[in-house]
């Protein structure tokens, strides 16, 4: 017990002696999280969260252009621009603006497009009526033109963006053509009934709809992943693992100035010294973690970013923070035990943390990495911690669901401590 208390006191005084280092231990992660969350905010936004200006050139002046415009604007994602500086946009100007990158999309509705759709609908209705033994004489074009709604994209536009716009426009065209066909059928049936409108109620083609439901117990807890939800936990874990720098530095200095030898002269086990270091630095890590969480909760919204959502099980988050802190502290103790000089320990510690964070999904989500990199990434203790935090914060899971990740972090920490104790014992012998 005396060794444990002495170790705690020693670590506390060592940390207080280096006030600049102590400040950097907390201030640098705050700066890092703010910078990363702000610069990654745009890439993390889905296209559904953005609003795009679309240049529209209406050469048809029929219902098709009006339906497409109303449909696109009703989604809330698109703002239709058909005039600039009081002048109607023509096809040449639209193509030029898209080519120059001032607009991402231009849609050209060809002349006669609505007439083509109506003629096609009339042809279908006439055929239907003929098969039913009823005469129908809706006008159709003798030689229908082959028309296409033209889309021009900014050459720098991403393929996924083009696919999303293609899909939206295709849906609107199908909807417009279906509506016109139903109108022609309804009109023809009314004529056959002597024009009595009440006999034919509105035709609703969509019998089954599509509705997005929440997986959580409460809809308000259905969290959308964004730059804050990724960056705050991810870089908090990264900062916690950087505790390896002060731990390794302190341990090597202790060996060099003889304070470790004096600690060993106190009767008791060397494990008590390790336990004292563990208690102290795990406490620092947990304090760091919750400081970063407060940054995500209260500071980042001041920069116009979303506030961090923390899930329901705060005990699970605390246990996860403790386990991550234990793994990070054990890693620092191993590095400080194995290496003999500060240069060796600090260089290896810093670079290895950067590598573990890169493959562990701290910089970019693990899911969008190549499959072979994902396999290595899942071996990183940072990925275990990040997965546990994401399960708690994004999926609202309880501590029982994150036990596998907590077990891995605990096992990793105990294994490293065992190796560090074995190395130190061999050195003493």
């Amino acid at each position: 017990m005396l060794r444990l208390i002495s170790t705690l006191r020693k670590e506390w005084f060592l940390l207080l002696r280096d006030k600049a280092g102590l400040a950097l231990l907390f201030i640098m992660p705050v700066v890092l999280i703010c910078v990363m969350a702000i610069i990654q905010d745009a890439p993390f936004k889905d296209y559904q969260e953005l609003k795009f200006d679309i240049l529209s050139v209406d050469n048809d002046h029929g219902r098709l252009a009006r339906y497409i415009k109303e449909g696109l604007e009703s989604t809330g994602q698109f703002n239709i621009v058909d005039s600039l500086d009081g002048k109607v946009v023509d096809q040449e100007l639209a193509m030029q603006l898209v080519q120059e990158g001032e607009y991402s999309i231009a849609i050209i509705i060809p002349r006669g497009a609505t007439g083509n759709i109506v003629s096609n609908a009339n042809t279908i209705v006439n055929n239907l009526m003929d098969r039913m033994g009823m005469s129908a004489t809706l006008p159709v074009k003798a030689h229908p033109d082959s028309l296409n709604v033209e889309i021009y994209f900014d050459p720098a536009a991403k393929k996924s963006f083009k696919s999303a716009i293609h899909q939206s426009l295709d849906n609107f065209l199908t909807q417009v053509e279906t509506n016109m066909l139903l109108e022609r059928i309804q009109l023809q049936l009314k004529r056959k009934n002597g024009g009595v409108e009440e006999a034919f109620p509105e035709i609703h083609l969509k019998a089954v709809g599509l509705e997005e439901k929440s997986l959580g117990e409460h809809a308000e807890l259905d969290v959308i992943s964004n730059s804050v939800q990724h960056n705050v936990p991810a870089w908090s874990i990264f900062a916690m693992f950087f505790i390896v720098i002060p731990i390794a530095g302190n341990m090597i200095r202790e060996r060099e100035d003889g304070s470790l030898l004096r600690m060993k002269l106190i009767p008791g086990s060397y494990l008590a010294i390790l336990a004292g270091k563990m208690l102290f630095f795990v406490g620092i890590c947990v304090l760091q973690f919750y400081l970063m969480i407060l940054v995500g909760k209260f500071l980042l919204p001041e920069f116009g970013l979303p506030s961090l959502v923390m899930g329901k099980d705060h005990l699970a988050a605390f246990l996860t923070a403790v386990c991550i802190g234990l793994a990070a502290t054990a890693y620092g103790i191993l590095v400080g035990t194995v290496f003999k000089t500060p240069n060796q320990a600090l260089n290896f510690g810093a670079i290895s943390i950067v590598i573990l964070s890169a493959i562990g999904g701290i910089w970019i989500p693990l899911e969008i990495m190549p499959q072979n990199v994902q396999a290595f990434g899942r071996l990183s203790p940072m990925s275990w911690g990040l997965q546990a935090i994401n399960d708690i914060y994004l999926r609202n899971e309880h501590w029982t669901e994150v036990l596998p990740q907590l077990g891995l972090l605990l096992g990793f920490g105990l294994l490293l401590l065992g190796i560090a104790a074995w190395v130190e014992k061999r050195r003493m012998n």
Side-chain angles (χ1 to χ4, degrees), residues 270-271 274 333-334 337-338 414-429:
Y270 179 67
L271 286 176
L274 290 183
I333 288 174
L334 180 63
T337 302
V338 170
L414 293 176
L415 175 65
L416 297 193
L417 279 180
I419 296 173
W422 178 74
V423 171
E424 187 62 27
K425 187 176 180 183
R426 278 177 61 87
R427 185 176 288 153
M428 290 168 64
N429 291 335

Side-chain angles (χ1 to χ4, degrees), residues 167-221:
Q167 184 67 38
S168 296
L169 282 174
D170 194 45
N171 288 342
F172 284 126
L173 284 174
T174 303
Q175 185 179 343
V176 168
E177 294 188 32
T178 304
N179 287 343
M180 287 190 178
L181 175 62
L182 292 176
E183 284 176 15
R184 308 309 287 179
I185 292 174
Q186 201 170 33
L187 176 66
Q188 192 63 17
L189 290 175
K190 285 174 183 174
R191 284 181 182 172
K192 296 298 177 188
N193 198 41
V196 181
E197 295 186 2
E198 290 75 13
F200 298 97
E202 289 293 326
I203 299 173
H204 297 286
L205 189 63
K206 205 167 186 179
V208 178
L210 186 66
E211 183 184 9
E212 184 178 347
K213 302 289 286 185
S214 169
L215 285 171
E217 294 178 15
H218 305 289
E220 64 272 16
L221 292 175

Side-chain angles (χ1 to χ4, degrees), residues 222-424:
D222 199 10
V223 184
I224 296 173
S225 182
N226 52 46
S227 65
V228 173
Q229 289 296 142
H230 171 76
N231 280 300
V232 173
W235 293 107
S236 300
I237 294 169
F238 178 76
M240 291 164 78
F241 266 85
F242 246 88
I243 201 79
V244 67
I245 303 296
I247 294 176
N250 286 355
M251 290 185 70
I252 291 171
R253 277 197 297 274
E254 286 169 3
R255 283 204 298 269
E256 291 175 345
D257 64 16
S259 58
L260 180 62
L261 180 63
R262 291 194 292 275
M263 292 287 296
K264 287 178 180 174
L265 292 176
I266 300 174
S269 168
Y270 179 67
L271 286 176
I273 297 176
L274 290 183
K277 285 185 182 296
M278 291 296 299
L279 278 176
F280 183 79
F281 284 105
V282 168
I284 294 291
C285 286
V286 173
L287 193 61
Q288 245 186 347
F289 178 80
Y290 278 100
L291 176 63
M292 302 307 117
I293 295 302
L294 291 176
V295 168
K297 191 76 182 168
F298 299 107
L299 181 59
L300 291 180
E302 297 297 320
F303 293 104
L305 300 177
S307 176
L308 180 73
V309 179
M310 298 174 61
K312 295 182 294 183
D313 195 341
H314 300 297
L315 174 63
F318 175 74
L319 291 175
T320 305
V322 170
C323 290
I324 296 170
L326 192 147
T329 304
Y331 188 63
I333 288 174
L334 180 63
V335 171
T337 302
V338 170
F339 291 98
K340 296 178 180 176
T341 67
N343 279 341
Q344 292 175 2
L346 301 186
N347 285 335
F348 176 83
I351 294 173
S352 63
I353 292 302
V354 171
I355 293 172
L356 287 174
S357 68
I359 64 172
I362 300 297
W363 295 19
I364 57 172
L366 202 61
E367 293 74 18
I368 62 176
M369 293 183 186
Q371 287 293 326
N372 52 350
V373 179
Q374 285 189 30
F376 284 107
R378 296 192 196 287
L379 299 177
S380 168
M382 292 194 197
S383 76
W384 307 333
L386 186 58
Q387 185 182 343
I389 291 293
N390 282 341
D391 285 346
I392 296 164
Y393 283 2
L394 293 176
R395 303 184 181 95
N396 295 305
E397 293 187 346
H398 294 280
W399 68 275
T400 50
E401 276 85 20
V402 296
L403 273 179
Q405 288 82 28
L406 300 190
L408 284 170
L409 287 165
L410 276 175
F412 177 79
L414 293 176
L415 175 65
L416 297 193
L417 279 180
I419 296 173
W422 178 74
V423 171
E424 187 62 27

